[in-house]
Amino acid sequence: MEKSNKLYIGPKAILKYLWEKNKKEKQNKNIETAKINLSFIKNVLKEFGLSKIRRKRRKGISKYQHYPKRLISEIGSLILEIDFIQRFIAGQTKPVHFVAFSCKLLGLKQYRRVSAQTNKNVRKELEWFFNNLFVPDAVKMDNDLAFIGSASAARTISKTVKFLFNKKIIPIFTNQRSPWNNGSVEGSNSVFARNFWNKFTFESIADLEKKLKLFNESSLWYSDYDQSKIQKKEDKEFIPQIYFIRRVYENQESGKSEINILNEKINLPDEYINLYTLSQWNLKTETLYVYFEKEQEKLLIKKLRFKINKNCKIETLVSYQP
């Protein structure tokens, strides 16, 4: 067993250790297969007081607010989630920054240290991920300026989005101030804290980098990641488009029901206040479609002309169109 594999703890990790040990011993015909499963390990840990009581998650809220879970899943089979993490090494005044990657379908988590939370570093680390792991169908992220771009100009296309288009990848932006919309990577951040950041003492950046490499190797082992099992993306027609998860709110000044798409306010019927929508911006036709998911069905509630900001370099998108 590799040293890096010992960084993960918990029932699943224990079961993996036992499986690997049993596999080796079976080859030597030393022991019989034990009837051990995940439930058995959880019960043993609980009996001896070795497991923590976890708070039950509140269920049903996303369904009640019509979070477009099915519509998002239809964007692509492989959706990668990314986010920033910031921490401080004891005794140092400057923060250290990381980009977290998570893919719920594969149970995959990876982390890369970056110098700062910039769009340049986002593109650099995405390039690393695509070259070393896989190219997803879509990338889901929050509305950090390094991801979405301008905080004031309307209908602009960020450098991160253009980079994704160049790879034939669809960007998905979550609702503002709703980290649970990026649930996989947010959960990944807690794994990072529990199994890495809070477990070690870091003497220097070099020491941190060394331990981070081991942790990433451990994460690959824990997820049973097998690159050979990932299907290569189909070489099909690609239309540049951006998706936005948005919760409808009431503008207290105007009294109108709205969502905000790239600093542009889109009015919607009052009946949708506090409910979620999924907007699709087709950059080829410069059209915005606002959808609502009801009983897993896709309902179009608004369609409008949504032109690319004239200050954006339109020619940079030409190579991304089929």
Side-chain angles (χ1 to χ4, degrees):
M1 188 186 305
E2 296 295 332
K3 182 179 179 181
S4 62
N5 293 351
K6 298 180 181 179
L7 297 183
Y8 271 78
I9 59 175
K12 182 181 175 181
I14 292 173
L15 187 59
K16 284 180 63 65
Y17 296 149
L18 292 175
W19 278 347
E20 292 184 357
K21 181 180 179 182
N22 187 54
K23 185 177 180 180
K24 292 178 181 178
E25 293 182 346
K26 278 179 67 179
Q27 291 175 352
N28 296 326
K29 299 180 180 181
N30 289 331
I31 65 169
E32 295 181 359
T33 303
K35 295 181 179 179
I36 299 176
N37 56 30
L38 201 58
S39 295
F40 174 80
I41 294 173
K42 287 180 178 179
N43 289 333
V44 171
L45 292 175
K46 184 178 180 180
E47 181 180 350
F48 287 90
L50 298 175
S51 61
K52 294 182 179 179
I53 299 176
R54 297 189 181 277
R55 295 179 180 178
K56 291 184 179 181
R57 294 181 179 178
R58 296 176 64 188
K59 297 182 179 180
I61 296 179
S62 62
K63 183 177 180 181
Y64 173 74
Q65 294 178 334
H66 289 263
Y67 181 76
K69 184 177 180 180
R70 181 175 178 178
L71 298 186
I72 294 169
S73 69
E74 292 176 349
I75 297 172
S77 57
L78 267 183
I79 297 179
L80 177 69
E81 297 183 12
I82 63 173
D83 195 14
F84 285 120
I85 302 176
Q86 178 182 286
R87 293 288 188 274
F88 284 87
I89 295 178
Q92 295 192 16
T93 56
K94 290 184 179 180
V96 286
H97 304 276
F98 305 86
V99 173
F101 299 95
S102 181
C103 179
K104 185 177 181 180
L105 181 67
L106 303 177
L108 177 69
K109 299 173 179 61
Q110 288 288 280
Y111 309 86
R112 297 279 289 178
R113 189 185 73 83
V114 293
S115 59
Q117 299 182 10
T118 64
N119 64 69
K120 182 178 179 180
N121 280 331
V122 170
R123 300 196 307 274
K124 176 183 176 183
E125 298 310 327
L126 281 170
E127 186 74 63
W128 169 85
F129 188 95
F130 301 155
N131 290 338
N132 290 277
L133 294 163
F134 63 88
V135 179
D137 299 306
V139 171
K140 191 144 77 91
M141 52 205 146
D142 62 25
N143 298 269
D144 190 289
L145 296 185
F147 301 139
I148 203 167
S150 176
S152 57
R155 293 167 279 104
T156 59
I157 303 160
S158 72
K159 291 181 179 179
T160 298
V161 168
K162 291 177 183 177
F163 170 81
L164 292 174
F165 283 161
N166 195 35
K167 303 291 183 180
K168 296 186 177 181
I169 298 171
I170 300 297
I172 306 171
F173 289 101
T174 60
N175 188 60
Q176 295 97 323
R177 297 177 293 281
S178 302
W180 65 270
N181 285 186
N182 236 8
S184 177
V185 78
E186 289 296 327
S188 176
N189 293 351
S190 67
V191 169
F192 176 84
R194 183 171 63 253
N195 291 336
F196 178 70
W197 192 262
N198 296 335
K199 181 177 284 189
F200 298 108
T201 299
F202 306 104
E203 303 298 332
S204 63
I205 293 297
D207 181 45
L208 185 152
E209 290 277 14
K210 181 179 178 181
K211 290 171 180 173
L212 184 63
K213 181 181 178 181
L214 291 174
F215 182 59
N216 278 328
E217 291 172 0
S218 180
S219 296
L220 291 176
W221 168 84
Y222 187 74
S223 65
D224 292 318
Y225 177 72
D226 186 349
Q227 196 169 30
S228 64
K229 294 182 180 180
I230 298 178
Q231 293 184 351
K232 190 175 181 181
K233 285 187 66 175
E234 296 181 22
D235 187 16
K236 59 183 180 180
E237 180 183 37
F238 177 77
I239 298 174
Q241 50 195 315
I242 309 173
Y243 285 85
F244 305 86
I245 304 167
R246 291 292 184 263
R247 184 179 176 184
V248 184
Y249 67 95
E250 180 185 8
N251 186 315
Q252 296 300 312
E253 294 182 2
S254 65
K256 296 181 179 179
S257 306
E258 303 173 345
I259 56 174
N260 189 306
I261 304 291
L262 296 177
N263 303 310
E264 194 80 66
K265 294 177 181 179
I266 311 297
N267 295 327
L268 294 175
D270 293 346
E271 289 81 1
Y272 292 101
I273 290 176
N274 290 329
L275 300 181
Y276 278 91
T277 61
L278 181 68
S279 297
Q280 175 191 17
W281 185 20
N282 185 314
L283 281 86
K284 187 177 181 182
T285 61
E286 296 186 281
T287 306
L288 184 74
Y289 304 86
V290 183
Y291 296 104
F292 180 71
E293 182 175 313
K294 182 181 179 182
E295 297 177 355
Q296 298 190 343
E297 293 296 324
K298 183 179 184 179
L299 304 176
L300 177 65
I301 58 176
K302 190 154 191 173
K303 175 184 175 182
L304 65 151
R305 186 73 170 162
F306 207 72
K307 300 193 71 174
I308 300 170
N309 190 304
K310 63 181 181 180
N311 293 320
C312 283
K313 295 181 179 179
I314 306 298
E315 63 271 15
T316 60
L317 294 175
V318 174
S319 61
Y320 310 136
Q321 296 181 4

